[in-house]
Amino acid sequence: MAFLCSSSLPSCSVAIFSKSNTDGFRSSPSYRLRLRPISASHVLAPAIDRSAIVISETVSEDELWAAACLRVRTFNELNPSSFNIQDHRRYLAEREFEALKERVSGKREGFTRVSCVNATLPLSQLSTSSEDLCSACKYSDGIEDRVVVGSLDLNQCRWLPDEIAGTKPEGFSVDFARAYLSNVCVAKELHRNGVGYKLIEKSKVVAREWGITDMYVHVTVVNEAAKRLYMKSGFVQESAEPAWQARYLNRPQRLLLWLSLPTS
């Protein structure tokens, strides 16, 4: 979960995104990972030309890989002094990359359609203070080197595994008219540049093209920055996860936010 932490995608384990990313701790024999909601960053945002930010659906595997690396960088907090930390980061990125490919290609059961929407900037727009971001999340679009600085998934489906299900629309249209946002994240270096808002606005455009009428996103109760972003984007609260369920899943309580999309 991130930035903006919507709930994350149902494809990987807590640490590697194969189910839903949750806030909290998960330990392995060698590493301690903390998946945390990203609130307003205290990192000083670099001066960038906001008009240079491009928001689009992913069209290449290179860009998918860069998006996977950004998610690992955002959703996991690893001790830099840990043994073989770079190998572990790459392992996590490879797992997320393969899961992303499976979802986007339509091979994941239970999902009608999935799109990875990214925010990218030309490499030349980022300062030397963003060297780690540039190194981890860079790709080439065939014309220039770009960096993925924000990402989310738009999932056309009835529900996300281990998450509260939406109630709209009802009837036979639920299979193709309902969608969820997940894995919403923005690089900490680019917080407060409107990247999260632009990602959500682009997801609305794609959703309408798919015939989606009702869009949902999950967010933790304590993530005030995320809630402000989603409310600004037009979402309203539909329901809250029961406290017992949050305890059972060993995670902070979630809210389910809903947005009605115009059909015309």
Side-chain angles (χ1 to χ4, degrees), residues 3-76:
F3 175 48
L4 297 172
C5 209
S6 63
S7 76
S8 102
L9 203 94
S11 62
C12 320
S13 85
V14 175
I16 55 179
F17 315 104
S18 54
K19 289 172 81 176
S20 349
N21 293 326
T22 61
D23 304 311
F25 293 91
R26 171 166 179 167
S27 299
S28 66
S30 303
Y31 300 94
R32 186 166 178 82
L33 308 177
R34 183 163 68 88
L35 308 184
R36 75 282 189 199
I38 306 301
S39 57
S41 174
H42 296 293
V43 176
L44 183 63
I48 62 167
D49 177 3
R50 295 189 182 188
S51 66
I53 300 173
V54 173
I55 312 290
S56 62
E57 295 181 81
T58 305
V59 296
S60 71
E61 287 197 359
D62 284 347
E63 187 178 346
L64 269 186
W65 171 258
C69 291
L70 177 66
R71 294 174 186 195
V72 169
R73 188 177 185 268
T74 304
F75 297 137
N76 298 273

Side-chain angles (χ1 to χ4, degrees), residues 3 25 28 38 45-46 60 72 97 103 119 138 172-173 218 243 258:
F3 175 48
F25 293 91
S28 66
I38 306 301
S60 71
V72 169
F97 175 60
R103 297 192 298 266
K138 182 179 71 173
F172 71 92
S173 63
H218 299 88
W258 165 74

Side-chain angles (χ1 to χ4, degrees), residues 146-218:
R146 301 188 68 85
V147 178
V148 175
V149 297
S151 185
L152 63 74
D153 291 338
L154 175 65
N155 308 276
Q156 186 179 26
C157 58
R158 284 187 173 225
W159 56 71
L160 297 179
D162 295 330
E163 296 290 2
I164 318 165
T167 60
K168 303 178 182 67
E170 298 178 344
F172 71 92
S173 63
V174 65
D175 285 325
F176 60 85
R178 182 187 298 171
Y180 297 83
L181 299 181
S182 63
N183 287 322
V184 184
C185 61
V186 174
K188 62 182 181 293
E189 294 88 346
L190 271 294
H191 285 186
R192 299 177 179 172
N193 274 291
V195 177
Y197 183 78
K198 290 181 178 181
L199 282 168
I200 294 171
E201 290 305 298
K202 177 62 177 179
S203 72
K204 293 179 188 178
V205 173
V206 176
R208 285 194 292 266
E209 291 173 353
W210 291 0
I212 300 297
T213 59
D214 298 271
M215 182 185 291
Y216 287 93
V217 66
H218 299 88

Side-chain angles (χ1 to χ4, degrees), residues 128-148:
T128 54
S129 62
S130 305
E131 183 177 349
D132 177 67
L133 172 65
C134 295
S135 173
C137 306
K138 182 179 71 173
Y139 75 101
S140 174
D141 64 1
I143 299 174
E144 63 180 348
D145 287 338
R146 301 188 68 85
V147 178
V148 175

